Amino acid sequence: MNRNRSPGGHQARKRFGQNFLVDASTIAKIVAAVAPKPSDNIVEIGPGQGAITEPMLSRCPSLNVVELDRDLIPLLQAKFQQYPALQIHQGDALSTDFSRFYQTGRPLRIIGNLPYNISTPLLFHLLGYSGMIKDMHFMLQKEVVDRLAASPGEKHYGRLSVMVQYHSQVQPLFRVPPGAFRPAPKVESAIVRLVPYPQPPCPATNLARLSKLVNACFQQRRKTIRNTLKHLVTEAQLAELEVDLSLRPETLSVADFVRLSNQMEAFS
Ligand code: SAM
C-alpha cells in the first residue's frame, strides 16, 4: 500500500506539507468548533482535497479557498461543482492579500489545516490583517499551539507567544493524533482558535519597534534584559527604563514588552 496516496488518489507532496485529514470525528469536531453560519465570510487556507471544505460548504456555501498545489485545483473544481459560490484561488497563502476577501460588516473567519512547514510565517502574515479578522481556527503542530498559548516563564514562551498574544486571544481547543491524517505526520497536532482584539489591550506606539525588541530579546533568551538592551539604548536610557534589568526576557509579559517598547520609542 502506498501510504502517501490519499483516499482521493492524489499523491501527497511533502514539500507542500500535505497530511490530509481522514478521521470523520476530528473533522466533525473542527466544524463544531468553527460553528459556521450561512452568512459567514470564511476563507480556508490549503483545502487539499476538501476534507474540511465539504462540511463547511454545506453550512456556508459562499466560501473562498486558497490552495498552492495546482494539481489539486481541478480535483476541487470537480468535487464541488454543485457549489457555484465557492471561489477556488490557486496561490500561495504567504503572499495572498487577505484584504481582498474582506467586506465591510463581514469580517473574515479564517480556517485551515495548515502546512506545518510554513505555519509560523503564515501566522505572522495573517496578523497583519487582524483588524479585518473575526477569528481563526487552525490545525497546527501541537508544539506550535503550546508556543502560541504559553505564559511568561514557561518553556514554550517566546517571540511567537508575545506577538500573537499582542494581537489576539489564544484558545487551544483539542489535540489530534497522527492517525487522523494520511499520510500520518510524525508529530502530534492540535486545534487552536485565535480571536484578534478589535484594539490590542496594550497598544504599542510603534509595532515595528515592539517586534524588533521582542526578536532581540528571544534571540538569546538566557541573557538578562540589561545585556540585550545595552545594544539598543544608551547607558543613561537603560537606567530610565521601568523594568528590572536583571530579569531574563522570558519572564516579561506582553504588557511589559509593550511598556518597554513604548519607552524606547519615546527616546527616539
Ligand atoms: N485541508 C486539507 C485537509 O485537512 O485534509 C489539507 C491539509 S494539508 C496539511 C495542507 C494543505 O495546504 C495542502 O493542500 C497543501 O497543498 C496546501 N498548501 C501548502 N502550502 C501552501 C501555501 N503556501 N498556500 C496555500 N496552500 C498551501
Side-chain angles (χ1 to χ4, degrees), residues 16-21 44-49 51-52 66-69 72 91-94 113-115 118:
F16 291 150
Q18 291 179 348
N19 299 99
F20 298 109
L21 260 175
E44 184 183 4
I45 297 174
Q49 300 175 104
I52 312 175
V66 180
E67 173 56 59
L68 181 61
D69 187 346
L72 288 172
D92 185 346
L94 280 173
N113 170 11
L114 296 188
I118 59 156

Side-chain angles (χ1 to χ4, degrees), residues 168-184:
S168 65
Q169 271 185 298
V170 178
Q171 301 167 8
L173 297 182
F174 54 91
R175 288 182 182 211
V176 181
F181 306 84
R182 200 175 300 159

Side-chain angles (χ1 to χ4, degrees), residues 69-263:
D69 187 346
R70 288 174 192 278
D71 289 353
L72 288 172
I73 304 298
L75 192 147
L76 288 166
Q77 284 164 339
K79 185 167 183 176
F80 298 124
Q81 54 185 322
Q82 76 277 29
Y83 292 101
L86 168 69
Q87 308 255 6
I88 302 172
H89 309 269
Q90 191 278 323
D92 185 346
L94 280 173
S95 53
T96 296
D97 175 4
F98 282 84
S99 68
R100 65 190 279 210
F101 305 122
Y102 175 78
Q103 292 165 11
T104 310
R106 292 186 74 219
L108 303 176
R109 303 195 71 198
I110 302 184
I111 61 168
N113 170 11
L114 296 188
Y116 294 167
N117 48 346
I118 59 156
S119 57
T120 302
L122 193 52
L123 287 169
F124 277 100
H125 179 61
L126 290 168
L127 288 179
Y129 300 95
S130 29
M132 300 177 192
I133 299 174
K134 181 178 169 198
D135 58 24
M136 302 185 258
H137 291 79
F138 293 132
M139 172 92 75
L140 294 164
Q141 201 173 323
K142 183 183 169 290
E143 202 207 305
V144 176
V145 173
D146 291 342
R147 283 164 52 202
L148 289 172
S151 302
E154 288 181 354
K155 175 173 107 185
H156 291 287
Y157 189 64
R159 169 180 173 247
L160 190 64
S161 331
V162 175
M163 294 314 294
V164 172
Q165 291 173 27
Y166 172 82
H167 288 285
S168 65
Q169 271 185 298
V170 178
Q171 301 167 8
L173 297 182
F174 54 91
R175 288 182 182 211
V176 181
F181 306 84
R182 200 175 300 159
K186 291 197 175 65
V187 291
E188 282 271 322
S189 305
I191 297 285
V192 68
R193 177 186 292 137
L194 304 176
V195 185
Y197 298 114
Q199 293 295 327
C202 318
T205 46
N206 181 340
L207 191 55
R209 182 178 292 276
L210 174 70
S211 174
K212 208 171 140 194
L213 169 70
V214 173
N215 259 347
C217 282
F218 285 106
Q219 244 157 30
Q220 284 170 298
R221 51 192 297 144
R222 313 307 292 173
K223 270 191 179 179
T224 61
I225 295 168
R226 170 188 298 283
N227 281 338
T228 301
L229 295 188
K230 72 181 181 196
H231 304 293
L232 302 175
V233 294
T234 66
E235 196 59 38
Q237 289 169 339
L238 256 187
E240 279 184 50
L241 292 173
E242 290 159 19
V243 63
D244 179 350
L245 296 172
S246 67
L247 291 175
R248 290 202 175 124
E250 64 198 19
T251 63
L252 298 188
S253 66
V254 175
D256 291 333
F257 277 111
V258 172
R259 206 179 50 249
L260 259 183
S261 164
N262 288 353
Q263 277 190 278

